[in-house]
């Protein structure tokens, strides 16, 4: 009887020893601000694709709530984690993670929403991977300019009223949101820089959201419909929403060979979502600026390895000030 | 193998075993279940309290975010509207706009627009300060430093106004405005008093000692709802400063609190809600008491029940045990009342059956013994007769030959008396005087035979003359006395028979003169009497066995002798046995 017990205990011990034999994988937690955001969802899918299973990576959805994100982070700090990858809900609130990480000595990579500079500099093991919002607006302006054949006089034939001024409507992401403000500002600046005259007929805040943009289009079209020569959207989701409203309400002509024949005005977005690319191909949208989620994910993965393994060779992206990796935008149009 | 006493259950009674077992088993199980119920309930209620505290914190954060968002919305609205005006011409309209929005929110005390050198462009309040000092204000510098965000300052005395506004929170933001068709950048300042924050700090949900503390990113206190916890040395402050964010339970001034720290959107503030959970702690203590009293009461009830159950089992067993002890000591009335559980009643029924059977067996044995004894006694009595009759008839022949008619008549009379007593209507027991009549007739006959060569004397105490005695026990002794004690030549031989009571014994003493017998001989006779197998005097042995059989071991025969003088043989029978025998005889006839 005693012998049997001893044998069973020994076997159990052996099982435990052997099962725990392999080196423990380092834990990485990825906190996403909103899994319903198509671009961010894309980034997290790319992250999963780049995951070489050398780390134990867990993804958390903050559901657009800083409180939820704080709760997740609190749990992670308590349980212990080797690296935090955070897509903040509120950029101004990010300082609490930096302070906590300094206490707990856990490195953080922030991405896509940039915390304040002072917060990033508060602790040396805090990094940021993102894009330059200003760049996206500038590139959006360039895309528009090229689409108009750089014709500042006659606007490449898109000057409906012949006043040599671009009458445009802007779909803005969020009032006061850094990226929204920056993109809105820089695209206008960019167009002016290219020599165009621009009249913003209306700026509508649609919170980066497709449905909100769809609804907003009703009011916009009834008020400014005839006068609009260009629709600038801060992101693709809102551009898609606007396109769908116009489609559903008969503003577009027939499709011939998969390409729409008549359009009310040009629509440009930012982000390079697959759906936006498809709409661009069919002619419903003029083009988009690819916010390169794939490169962003790749940079995050490489930076993670760089931080966890201290292996500089793995990092193919430029690490500015040993803190920032900025991912460049790319054009996407049907031309 | 040695038995250790401590581990053996055999030393305990059934009751002790039952009570001990039930108590231990119950104590363990009740304690475990009560404690687990307590643990689970307190844990769930603890979780509940934590969840609740977290929910309340969330609600408060929402309220504050609503407030800050409103302020931010106002700033954004101002920015948007302001670009519709040109400051060169439309200052009045802009001031109207500012005033309208100032009035919209009670907590806003002033709205001011400064240019990039700190000069006032539009203000709802009168400004006193020089422009150079404005540019040195913290809120101004941060707005310029990070133009993209709205800055919420920590509370400060705002000294730029002519009227003292007291402590205010300054909301500042880089601001674009048109002046002479040129877009310029300046700074918008919205100063707020604490009315808004106060009205939001509805701490009633946080319990009696619950309170709110708001810190900014530099850990400066923005707001505190509890004056006693206001200050950089308070435990609340230090907790929030150290914890940064998240939740924790702690004790402040003896009050159990749960702190939840979250950020407030659009600002660099974080809000800590301190939830008073003392009431809850009291609840758990009560739960503990309840659990303990449930355990104790359950235990007491169970021990009581176990005691009664054990009594039910052991009481009949105890009675049975007593009955067995009684039976062991020879008490016949040992039956036990049938009660208790089935197994026990079975045992008792079995015991009672056993007692009945034993009684039956004993009665049988006694009956058997008695009949055996009767047969034996009859046989012994009958042994006497042929022997004596032969001698007597011989004597009578001799008397007849000698023509001693009178003597012959006497002898025949004596013989007649002798046989009358002998027969006694078949009775085994006769009064002593009858036995003595019998012996006198016998002696008479023998004197005749021995030609008057001895004299005799018969004495008897009157008190005992009526006592009944086993008949024909004296004759063998007298026979021996004559046979051994009569000197054929000596005319002075005598025989004395004396019946008396002494020391609880009735003694029938037969004494004869003569040579006497030696001590060795006495012992030999005793030996012969006691051992039925040895040869010797049939008569003595006969008597000895008869009295032993009938009167028990206490009855005995004593032989004494004085050499050349006398020999005495005494039959000693316990007096009480005689009485019993009389009664018994009466019953039997």
């Amino acid at each position: 009887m005693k012998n049997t017990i001893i044998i069973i205990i020994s076997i159990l011990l052996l099982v435990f020893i052997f099962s725990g034999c392999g080196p423990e994988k380092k834990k990485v937690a990825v906190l996403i601000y909103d899994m319903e955001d198509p671009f961010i969802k894309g980034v997290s899918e790319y992250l999963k694709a780049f995951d070489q299973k050398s780390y134990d990576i867990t993804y958390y959805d903050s559901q657009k709530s800083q409180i939820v994100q704080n709760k997740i982070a609190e749990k992670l700090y308590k349980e212990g984690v080797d690296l935090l990858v955070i897509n903040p809900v509120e950029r101004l609130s990010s300082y609490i993670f930096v302070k906590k990480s300094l206490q707990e000595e856990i490195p953080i990579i922030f991405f896509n929403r940039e915390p304040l500079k002072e917060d990033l500099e508060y602790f040396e093991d805090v990094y940021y991977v993102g894009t330059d919002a200003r760049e996206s607006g500038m590139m959006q302006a360039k895309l528009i300019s090229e689409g108009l054949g750089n014709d500042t006089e006659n606007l490449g034939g898109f000057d409906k009223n012949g006043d040599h001024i671009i009458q445009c409507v802007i779909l803005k992401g969020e009032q006061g949101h850094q990226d929204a403000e920056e993109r809105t500002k820089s695209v206008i600046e960019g167009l002016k820089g290219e020599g165009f005259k621009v009249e913003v007929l209306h700026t509508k805040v649609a919170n980066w959201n497709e449905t909100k943009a769809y609804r907003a289009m009703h009011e916009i079209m009834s008020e400014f419909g005839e006068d609009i020569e260009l629709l600038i959207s801060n992101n693709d989701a809102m551009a898609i929403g606007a396109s769908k409203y116009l489609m559903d309400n008969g503003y577009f002509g027939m499709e011939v060979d998969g390409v729409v024949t008549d359009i009310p005005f040009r629509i440009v977005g930012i982000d390079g979502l697959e759906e936006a690319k498809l709409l661009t191909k069919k002619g419903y949208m003029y083009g988009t600026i690819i916010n390169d989620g794939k490169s962003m994910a790749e940079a995050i993965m490489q930076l993670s390895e760089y931080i966890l393994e201290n292996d500089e060779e793995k990092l193919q992206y430029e690490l500015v000030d040993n803190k920032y990796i900025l991912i460049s935008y790319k054009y996407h149009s049907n031309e | 193998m040695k038995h250790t006493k401590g581990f053996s259950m055999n030393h305990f009674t059934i009751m002790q075993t039952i009570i001990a077992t039930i108590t231990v088993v119950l104590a363990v199980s009740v304690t475990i279940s009560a404690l687990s119920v307590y643990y689970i309930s307190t844990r769930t209620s603890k979780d509940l309290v934590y969840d609740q505290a977290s929910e309340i914190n969330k609600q408060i954060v929402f309220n504050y975010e609503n407030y800050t968002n409103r302020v931010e919305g106002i700033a954004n609205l101002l920015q948007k509207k302001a670009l519709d005006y040109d400051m060169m011409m439309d200052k009045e309209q802009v001031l109207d706009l500012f005033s309208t929005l100032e009035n919209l929110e009670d907590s806003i005390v002033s709205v001011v627009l400064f240019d990039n050198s700190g000069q006032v462009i539009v203000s709802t309040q009168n400004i006193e300060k020089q422009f150079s000092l404005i540019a040195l204000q913290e809120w101004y510098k941060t707005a310029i430093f990070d133009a993209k965000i709205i800055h919420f300052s920590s509370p400060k005395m705002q000294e730029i106004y002519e009227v003292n506004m007291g402590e205010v929170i300054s909301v500042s933001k880089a601001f674009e405005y048109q002046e002479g068709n040129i877009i310029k950048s300046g700074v918008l300042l919205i100063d707020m008093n604490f009315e808004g924050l106060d009205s939001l700090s509805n701490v009633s949900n946080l319990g009696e000692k619950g309170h709110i503390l708001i810190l900014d990113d530099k850990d400066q206190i923005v707001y505190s709802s509890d004056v006693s916890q206001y200050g950089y040395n308070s435990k609340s402050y230090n907790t929030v400063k150290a914890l940064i964010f998240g939740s924790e339970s702690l004790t402040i001034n003896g009050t159990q609190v749960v702190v939840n720290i979250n950020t407030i959107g659009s600002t660099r503030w974080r809000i800590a809600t301190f939830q008073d959970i003392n009431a809850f702690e009291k609840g758990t203590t009560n739960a503990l008491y309840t659990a303990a009293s449930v355990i104790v009461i359950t235990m007491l009830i169970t021990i009581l029940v176990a005691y009664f159950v054990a009594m039910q089992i052991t009481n009949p067993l105890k009675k049975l045990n007593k009955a067995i002890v009684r039976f062991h000591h020879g008490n016949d009335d040992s039956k036990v009342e049938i009660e208790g559980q089935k197994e026990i009643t079975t045992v008792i029924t079995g015991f009672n059956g056993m007692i009945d059977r034993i009684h039956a067996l004993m009665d049988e044995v006694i009956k058997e013994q008695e009949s055996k004894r009767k047969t034996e006694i009859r046989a012994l009595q009958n042994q006497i007769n042929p022997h004596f009759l032969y001698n007597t008839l011989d004597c009578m022949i001799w008397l007849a030959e000698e023509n001693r008619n009178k003597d012959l008549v006497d002898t025949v009379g004596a013989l007649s008396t002798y046989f009358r007593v002998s027969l006694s209507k078949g009775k085994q027991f006769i009064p002593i005087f009858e036995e003595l009549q019998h012996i006198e007739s016998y002696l008479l006959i023998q004197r005749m035979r021995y030609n008057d060569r001895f004299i005799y004397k018969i004495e008897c105490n009157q008190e005992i003359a009526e006592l009944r005695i086993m008949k024909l026990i004296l004759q063998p002794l007298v026979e021996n006395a004559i046979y051994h004690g009569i000197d054929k030549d000596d005319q002075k031989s005598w025989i004395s028979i004396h019946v008396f009571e002494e020391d609880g014994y009735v003694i029938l003493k037969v004494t004869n003169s003569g040579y006497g017998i030696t001590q060795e001989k006495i012992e030999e006779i005793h030996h012969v009497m006691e051992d039925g197998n040895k040869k010797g005097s049939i008569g003595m042995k006969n008597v000895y066995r008869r009295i032993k059989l009938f009167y028990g071991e206490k009855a005995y025969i004593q032989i004494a002798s004085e050499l050349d003088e006398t020999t005495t043989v005494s039959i000693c029978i316990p007096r009480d046995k005689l009485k019993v025998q009389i009664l018994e005889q009466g019953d039997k006839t």
Side-chain angles (χ1 to χ4, degrees):
Chain A
M1 187 62 184
K2 264 187 184 173
N3 284 340
T4 328
I5 291 168
I6 288 168
I7 288 167
I8 290 168
I9 289 170
S10 319
I11 290 169
L12 285 175
L13 275 176
L14 280 176
V15 168
F16 279 122
I17 289 164
F18 281 113
S19 62
C21 210
E24 194 150 306
K25 282 185 183 176
K26 285 187 173 169
K27 276 195 213 162
V28 178
V30 181
L31 279 68
I32 303 291
Y33 105 95
D34 181 18
M35 277 293 192
E36 281 172 19
D37 180 310
F39 173 70
I40 288 298
K41 198 182 169 199
V43 172
S44 69
E45 273 159 15
Y46 284 124
L47 278 172
K48 283 171 193 167
F50 283 117
D51 183 2
Q52 288 169 331
K53 309 287 172 209
S54 41
Y55 307 118
D56 183 5
I57 305 181
T58 319
Y59 295 83
Y60 299 90
D61 183 5
S62 310
Q63 298 159 28
K64 275 196 236 179
S65 160
Q66 187 62 47
I67 293 173
V68 173
Q69 192 166 59
N70 291 352
K71 199 117 208 159
I72 295 165
E74 180 191 358
K75 186 171 150 273
L76 290 167
Y77 279 116
K78 269 181 190 160
E79 287 172 2
V81 63
D82 296 295
L83 173 67
L84 282 165
V85 178
I86 303 176
N87 168 215
V89 179
E90 286 271 352
R91 56 192 292 266
L92 291 181
S93 298
S94 303
Y95 77 94
I96 61 169
F97 302 135
V98 180
K99 280 191 165 183
K100 196 82 176 177
S101 267
L102 181 66
Q103 246 179 31
E104 309 281 333
E105 294 181 348
I106 296 170
I108 310 181
I109 300 173
F110 287 109
F111 73 97
N112 202 54
R113 285 191 178 187
E114 189 180 354
L116 296 187
K117 200 167 174 247
E118 57 177 290
D119 296 338
L120 289 170
E121 284 167 355
Y122 191 78
F123 174 38
E124 59 168 355
D125 257 345
V126 172
Y127 304 84
Y128 176 67
V129 176
T131 50
D132 188 347
R134 188 176 157 76
E135 190 199 355
S136 63
M138 295 304 271
M139 285 183 76
Q140 202 176 27
K142 213 159 196 178
L143 177 75
I144 294 162
S145 171
E146 275 172 23
L148 300 178
N150 295 321
D151 180 2
T152 54
E153 273 303 304
N154 298 314
L155 314 178
F158 283 90
D159 190 11
K160 280 186 191 173
N161 54 6
D163 65 352
H164 315 298
I165 299 169
I166 304 174
Q167 269 79 29
C168 74
V169 167
I170 297 174
L171 287 176
K172 195 171 170 182
E174 259 173 61
Q175 183 64 40
H177 188 286
Q178 181 201 16
D179 280 6
E181 299 292 347
E182 200 66 63
R183 283 176 183 180
T184 307
K185 200 170 159 188
S186 59
V187 68
I188 302 298
E189 274 174 17
L191 284 172
K192 284 178 180 165
E194 296 286 331
F196 290 99
K197 284 178 185 152
V198 184
E199 184 192 349
V200 179
L201 294 172
H202 185 65
T203 301
K204 181 72 193 171
V205 175
N207 286 333
W208 309 108
N209 186 285
E210 184 182 318
T211 317
K212 276 193 178 153
Y214 185 99
R215 288 194 195 128
M217 280 311 281
H218 179 73
E219 181 198 325
I220 290 168
M221 290 311 286
S222 59
E223 202 172 332
F224 310 102
E226 288 305 306
D227 305 328
I228 302 169
E229 291 167 357
L230 179 68
L231 181 72
I232 300 168
S233 173
N234 276 173
N235 75 345
D236 277 348
M238 293 187 292
I240 292 164
S243 303
K244 282 183 179 167
Y245 176 85
L246 298 176
M247 273 186 236
D248 294 347
N249 291 282
Y251 288 97
F252 287 109
M254 302 273 282
E255 263 185 48
V256 178
D257 298 332
V259 178
V260 73
T261 50
D262 189 23
I263 60 165
F265 42 80
R266 282 185 164 171
I267 302 169
V268 286
I270 300 176
D271 276 349
L273 299 185
E274 287 307 315
E275 199 180 354
K277 286 180 188 169
L278 188 73
L279 287 174
T280 303
K281 195 179 164 193
K282 287 182 172 180
Y284 293 102
M285 272 175 67
Y286 176 67
T288 178
I289 302 300
I290 297 177
N291 187 351
D292 193 355
K294 190 176 175 183
S295 298
M296 188 180 278
E298 193 180 34
I300 291 167
M301 255 2 233
Q302 288 181 4
L303 185 59
S304 303
E305 281 179 70
Y306 166 71
I307 294 164
L308 293 171
E309 316 295 336
N310 210 9
D311 186 355
E312 219 164 323
E313 303 213 345
K314 292 246 169 80
L315 194 58
Q316 290 155 357
Y317 291 83
E318 190 195 355
L319 189 59
V320 181
D321 296 340
N322 204 33
K323 247 186 206 321
Y324 301 91
I325 295 177
L326 291 177
I327 308 297
S328 298
Y329 287 94
K330 294 171 186 167
Y331 298 113
H332 184 87
S333 70
N334 59 354
E335 282 166 16
Chain B
M1 217 160 109
K2 226 178 168 183
H3 267 290
T4 29
K5 278 191 172 180
F7 282 89
S8 171
M9 290 288 257
N10 298 339
H11 304 291
F12 301 107
T13 64
I14 290 176
M15 190 185 280
Q16 285 167 339
T17 311
I18 288 173
I19 291 175
T21 311
I22 288 176
T23 308
V24 168
V25 169
L26 195 89
V28 170
S29 57
V30 166
T31 308
I32 286 172
S33 55
L35 285 182
S36 51
V37 164
Y38 167 75
Y39 179 71
I40 290 165
S41 69
T42 52
R43 230 181 71 115
T44 45
S45 50
K46 207 163 204 163
D47 285 348
L48 219 69
V49 164
Y50 275 66
D51 285 351
Q52 206 185 339
S54 164
E55 275 308 308
I56 290 168
N57 170 270
K58 213 169 169 179
Q59 196 50 55
I60 289 170
V61 170
F62 279 143
N63 291 343
Y64 276 90
E65 278 186 346
N66 228 336
Y67 177 70
T68 55
N69 282 344
R70 224 159 48 230
V71 174
E72 193 181 11
I74 287 168
N76 285 329
L77 187 68
L78 286 176
Q79 172 67 82
K80 206 176 150 197
K81 293 279 183 194
L83 285 169
D84 294 343
Y85 302 103
D86 193 307
M87 295 300 167
M88 295 281 267
M89 296 102 74
D90 311 319
K91 265 193 186 171
E92 286 303 309
Q93 283 96 319
V94 176
L95 183 62
D96 272 355
L97 179 70
F98 280 17
S99 300
T100 310
L101 289 170
E102 184 200 290
N103 294 333
L104 201 68
E105 193 74 49
D106 287 341
S107 56
I108 296 177
V109 295
S110 81
V111 181
V112 192
L113 177 62
F114 298 92
D115 70 9
N116 59 4
S117 60
Q119 289 277 26
V120 179
I121 299 169
V122 180
S123 175
T124 58
Q125 300 289 334
N126 292 331
I127 305 293
E128 197 183 55
K129 290 277 169 182
Q130 302 284 314
F131 69 90
S132 57
L133 289 178
I134 297 283
L136 290 176
Q137 299 286 322
E138 191 65 29
W139 51 264
Y140 187 89
K141 285 195 288 185
T142 51
I144 297 287
F145 178 74
D146 195 337
K148 290 167 197 164
I149 55 171
I150 294 185
H151 300 269
F152 287 80
S153 81
S154 54
K156 293 248 162 57
M157 290 301 290
Q158 186 63 285
E159 290 163 339
I160 62 169
Y161 304 114
E162 280 177 358
V163 183
N164 184 9
M165 296 284 184
E167 274 202 329
V168 294
I169 292 165
S170 298
V171 179
S172 58
K173 189 187 186 299
F175 198 84
E176 285 179 337
Y177 60 95
Q178 266 194 87
E179 198 169 39
N181 259 338
I182 301 164
I183 303 277
K184 288 185 173 175
S185 61
V187 171
L188 179 74
L189 170 71
I190 302 173
D191 273 338
M192 303 191 300
N193 62 21
F194 287 89
E195 239 171 68
L197 294 178
D198 263 333
S199 67
L200 289 168
S201 70
N202 185 355
V203 294
S204 57
N205 283 340
L206 294 172
E208 201 186 333
K209 295 265 174 71
H211 55 278
I212 289 174
L213 183 63
I214 301 177
L215 301 190
D216 68 8
D217 56 333
K218 305 284 188 296
D219 291 330
Q220 289 189 312
I221 295 172
V222 174
Y223 176 76
S224 171
S225 71
D226 186 348
V227 183
S228 70
Q229 288 300 314
Y230 197 98
Y232 292 93
N233 293 319
S234 71
K235 191 164 182 181
S236 297
Y237 172 77
N238 287 318
T239 305
V240 178
K241 189 181 176 183
L243 189 59
I244 301 168
F245 76 101
S247 57
E248 197 174 81
S249 67
L250 67 153
T251 312
I252 296 176
N253 299 337
T255 307
Q256 278 278 322
V257 294
V258 176
V259 60
N260 275 280
I261 310 167
N262 258 312
T263 47
I264 298 176
S266 312
T267 70
R268 301 275 281 167
W269 295 348
R270 56 191 201 277
I271 182 165
T273 55
F274 291 83
Q275 176 92 40
D276 183 345
I277 57 165
N278 251 18
F280 154 76
E281 290 294 328
K282 266 180 212 157
T284 51
T285 323
N286 285 343
L288 186 63
Y289 285 144
T290 312
S293 46
V294 164
I295 292 173
V296 170
I297 290 167
T298 316
M299 292 289 296
L300 284 176
I301 290 171
T302 316
I303 289 169
L304 221 64
V305 169
Y307 176 75
F308 282 117
V309 169
M311 287 266 281
Q312 289 276 311
I313 295 169
T314 55
N315 264 4
L317 287 176
K318 272 184 186 160
K319 281 185 185 168
L320 185 63
N321 185 42
K322 272 184 192 161
I324 290 170
V325 170
R326 273 207 313 272
F327 185 70
H328 186 73
H329 288 306
N331 193 334
D332 289 343
D333 184 26
S334 301
K335 282 205 180 183
V336 184
E337 197 184 330
I338 295 173
E339 60 177 358
Q341 281 68 29
K342 207 175 176 189
E343 293 86 346
I344 289 163
T345 56
T346 310
V347 172
I348 291 170
T349 313
F351 175 76
N352 286 345
M354 190 184 77
I355 297 273
D356 284 343
R357 182 87 186 109
I358 287 171
H359 277 161
L361 284 172
M362 273 167 66
D363 288 348
E364 226 167 87
V365 167
I366 287 166
K367 267 183 203 160
E368 240 167 59
Q369 288 266 328
E370 209 149 283
S371 67
K372 203 178 155 191
R373 200 168 53 187
K374 276 180 186 166
T375 323
E376 206 176 344
I377 288 165
R378 284 229 168 81
L380 290 170
Q381 283 171 346
N382 292 340
Q383 274 180 12
I384 302 163
N385 300 329
H387 189 70
F388 171 71
L389 191 59
Y390 160 72
N391 286 332
T392 310
L393 289 173
D394 205 30
C395 175
M396 284 195 295
I397 292 164
W398 178 71
L399 284 174
E401 278 171 354
E402 291 278 310
N403 288 322
R404 286 165 62 183
N405 288 342
K406 188 182 177 293
D407 288 344
L408 183 60
V409 170
D410 287 347
T411 308
V412 172
L415 188 63
S416 167
T417 307
Y418 175 83
F419 276 112
R420 182 178 46 82
V421 175
S422 275
L423 294 169
S424 313
K425 296 174 191 162
K427 287 176 190 166
Q428 296 292 320
F429 299 90
I430 53 173
I432 287 173
F433 71 87
E434 272 187 27
E435 175 72 6
L436 291 175
Q437 270 177 19
H438 173 256
I439 222 66
E440 191 171 3
S441 48
Y442 174 76
L443 280 168
L444 228 135
I445 292 164
Q446 291 297 45
R447 231 174 79 127
M448 208 58 76
R449 267 191 65 202
Y450 285 91
N451 230 342
D452 298 331
R453 270 187 298 195
F454 67 89
I455 52 166
Y456 65 85
K457 184 175 80 181
I458 295 172
E459 282 178 289
C460 178
N461 291 4
Q462 278 304 305
E463 308 92 74
I464 56 171
E466 292 292 327
L467 289 175
R468 282 168 188 263
I469 193 170
M470 183 187 285
K471 70 180 183 184
L472 307 183
I473 54 169
L474 274 174
Q475 195 206 319
L477 272 58
V478 175
E479 215 178 302
N480 276 341
I482 294 167
Y483 187 75
H484 298 292
I486 306 301
D487 185 350
K488 288 195 171 102
D489 305 320
D490 187 2
Q491 295 286 321
K492 291 173 189 170
S493 293
W494 54 269
I495 291 171
S496 150
I497 294 156
H498 188 202
V499 179
F500 60 96
E501 193 184 347
E502 192 180 272
D503 298 334
Y505 278 85
V506 170
I507 297 164
L508 301 99
K509 188 166 152 190
V510 178
T511 315
N512 66 280
S513 58
Y515 309 115
I517 45 174
T518 61
Q519 195 58 38
E520 288 82 44
K521 184 70 180 168
I522 290 169
E523 273 165 29
E524 199 193 313
I525 293 165
H526 271 290
H527 208 66
V528 167
M529 285 193 302
E530 282 153 27
D531 189 344
N533 293 328
K534 290 218 171 147
K535 291 201 172 172
S537 166
I538 295 166
M540 285 286 281
K541 257 166 83 172
N542 212 322
V543 170
Y544 181 82
R545 283 181 65 192
R546 279 165 67 200
I547 63 162
K548 284 283 178 193
L549 260 174
F550 228 97
Y551 297 114
E553 283 304 311
K554 281 187 171 172
Y556 63 98
I557 291 175
Q558 195 184 47
I559 304 167
S561 180
E562 237 176 285
L563 280 175
D564 292 331
E565 290 291 333
T566 59
T567 303
T568 307
V569 179
S570 306
I571 298 171
C572 308
I573 299 166
R575 164 74 205 254
D576 52 344
K577 289 281 179 186
L578 284 173
K579 275 181 197 163
V580 173
Q581 292 303 330
I582 289 160
L583 282 171
E584 196 174 272
Q585 198 200 16
D587 289 343
K588 296 265 158 92
T589 43

